[in-house]
Amino acid sequence: MTSLTQRSSGLVQRRTEASRNAAAEKERDSADEENGPRRGDEQDSDDGGDAKETRLTLMEEGYTSFWNDCMSSGLRGCMLIELALRGRVQLEACGMRRKGLLARKVICKSDAPTGDVLLDEALKHIKETEPPETVQRWIELLSGETWNPLKLHYQLRNVRERLAKNLVEKGVLTTEKQNFLLFDMTTHPLTNSDIKQRLIRKLQEAVLDKWVNDPHRMDKRMLALIFLAHSSDVLENAFAPLLDDQYDLAMKRVRNLLDLEPEGESMKANANELLWAVVAAFTK
């Protein structure tokens, strides 16, 4: 009975939020049509696809849209995917024995700077490490999850603060000092809510109005963001404003994506093997 009451409360909340935001959504949709092609329509390129709107990395999109304390390893996975989409890293060849995704090593394809400090730091580690490591191992090393003291230098430190600084420079966040009696704390509240709402709306559209029923026709960054949000237990928050039938349909399609077999998907045309290796690491 309690669970039924909680679900009813959640449905009422989603219905109320959806009604409140309906008019604003229509206005934003009209504005998007006037501003030209959406990010999902753009071609992947080595620099990640420049756009007239503020261009965010996968890590910054995750931070902006639905940051929580469970996203540490998810952000490291996003770094590997971002580097792969920019043509900086790739998986080693599977060989005659057809190694699985999680058994194959990550190798440096190009050491050209990306212009992002975090990405360049991760790329430097990958390039200089011999023998190479697997995707799963890199996620652990970059997160500092290792018992080997000789491997601790791989940990990317202060990721949250560094992402926040990048977003402040891009005008997405601002910096404020808050006083807590004995000490001051620096916070980074959202200053450009349009970017957050646009990201959440694109995520919703990816599994609703623009659903293509084929992960290889989806924007790769959006696909990665869906898996990141799910692995961090925050995906449902992005769907909270939806109407009940939209919510159920969106979650059904997300479950379809989660049920995919990464090994098989990685062998299809237009697949990014490293992206699917990260997916395998989070869904195994």
Side-chain angles (χ1 to χ4, degrees):
M1 189 68 179
T2 302
S3 60
L4 180 60
T5 302
Q6 291 174 339
R7 175 167 175 76
S8 299
S9 176
L11 296 179
V12 170
Q13 181 183 8
R14 287 198 298 276
R15 187 179 297 113
T16 301
E17 291 187 28
S19 300
R20 186 185 305 122
N21 294 331
E25 294 245 347
K26 290 181 180 178
E27 292 180 4
R28 287 194 296 267
D29 288 340
S30 298
D32 282 350
E33 292 177 1
E34 294 175 359
N35 289 337
R38 294 175 174 82
R39 186 175 192 170
D41 300 326
E42 297 170 359
Q43 296 291 327
D44 287 329
S45 62
D46 287 349
D47 63 359
D50 292 319
K52 290 182 179 179
E53 63 186 41
T54 303
R55 186 169 67 86
L56 306 181
T57 64
L58 269 175
M59 305 87 71
E60 292 167 347
E61 288 182 338
Y63 184 106
T64 303
S65 303
F66 25 64
W67 172 270
N68 74 0
D69 292 333
C70 300
M71 286 183 64
S72 177
S73 60
L75 287 173
R76 272 64 175 186
C78 276
M79 291 179 191
L80 295 177
I81 294 175
E82 185 80 42
L83 287 171
L85 294 181
R86 295 189 183 207
R88 302 309 197 275
V89 298
Q90 63 185 20
L91 291 183
E92 65 177 349
C94 58
M96 295 296 292
R97 296 186 179 182
R98 301 297 303 178
K99 287 184 181 179
L101 291 172
L102 296 181
R104 295 162 65 184
K105 310 294 187 180
V106 179
I107 60 176
C108 180
K109 183 179 178 181
S110 168
D111 61 356
T114 66
D116 182 275
V117 176
L118 283 170
L119 290 177
D120 288 341
E121 185 176 339
L123 180 61
K124 182 175 183 292
H125 286 319
I126 293 172
K127 177 188 176 184
E128 296 178 352
T129 299
E130 289 293 341
E133 300 282 3
T134 63
V135 162
Q136 180 68 60
R137 188 63 175 143
W138 272 119
I139 292 174
E140 294 170 354
L141 290 174
L142 295 176
S143 301
E145 299 174 1
T146 177
W147 292 101
N148 187 343
L150 299 179
K151 301 280 189 178
L152 289 176
H153 69 282
Y154 288 118
Q155 180 182 5
L156 298 181
R157 302 181 183 278
N158 303 318
V159 171
R160 182 174 183 175
E161 290 75 11
R162 292 160 75 179
L163 283 175
K165 180 180 178 181
N166 289 347
L167 290 168
V168 168
E169 293 175 353
K170 293 181 179 182
V172 179
L173 304 181
T174 187
T175 301
E176 293 182 357
K177 291 281 189 180
Q178 291 191 3
N179 181 272
F180 292 92
L181 297 180
L182 299 179
F183 59 91
D184 291 333
M185 178 178 288
T186 300
T187 61
H188 300 284
L190 191 68
T191 187
N192 190 339
S193 60
D194 288 343
I195 289 182
K196 176 177 180 177
Q197 293 305 318
R198 184 162 57 244
L199 287 172
I200 291 178
R201 190 171 71 257
K202 285 183 177 181
L203 190 148
Q204 294 170 350
E205 290 175 344
V207 293
L208 289 173
D209 297 341
K210 296 183 180 179
W211 175 249
V212 293
N213 200 30
D214 180 358
H216 301 284
R217 293 172 55 200
M218 294 178 65
D219 173 52
K220 291 181 174 61
R221 285 178 175 77
M222 185 54 61
L223 182 65
L225 200 58
I226 290 174
F227 282 110
L228 161 69
H230 176 266
S231 67
S232 303
D233 297 323
V234 292
L235 185 58
E236 291 193 19
N237 295 346
F239 295 156
L242 297 174
L243 296 173
D244 299 342
D245 56 342
Q246 293 177 317
Y247 178 88
D248 292 339
L249 180 59
M251 292 306 299
K252 177 183 178 180
R253 288 171 172 172
V254 168
R255 284 192 293 271
N256 290 341
L257 291 175
L258 296 173
D259 289 339
L260 293 172
E261 177 52 51
E263 292 287 351
E265 298 302 322
S266 69
M267 292 186 281
K268 294 182 179 179
N270 197 36
N272 185 293
E273 291 183 320
L274 197 142
L275 185 156
W276 287 105
V278 173
V279 170
F282 284 115
T283 59
K284 66 175 183 177

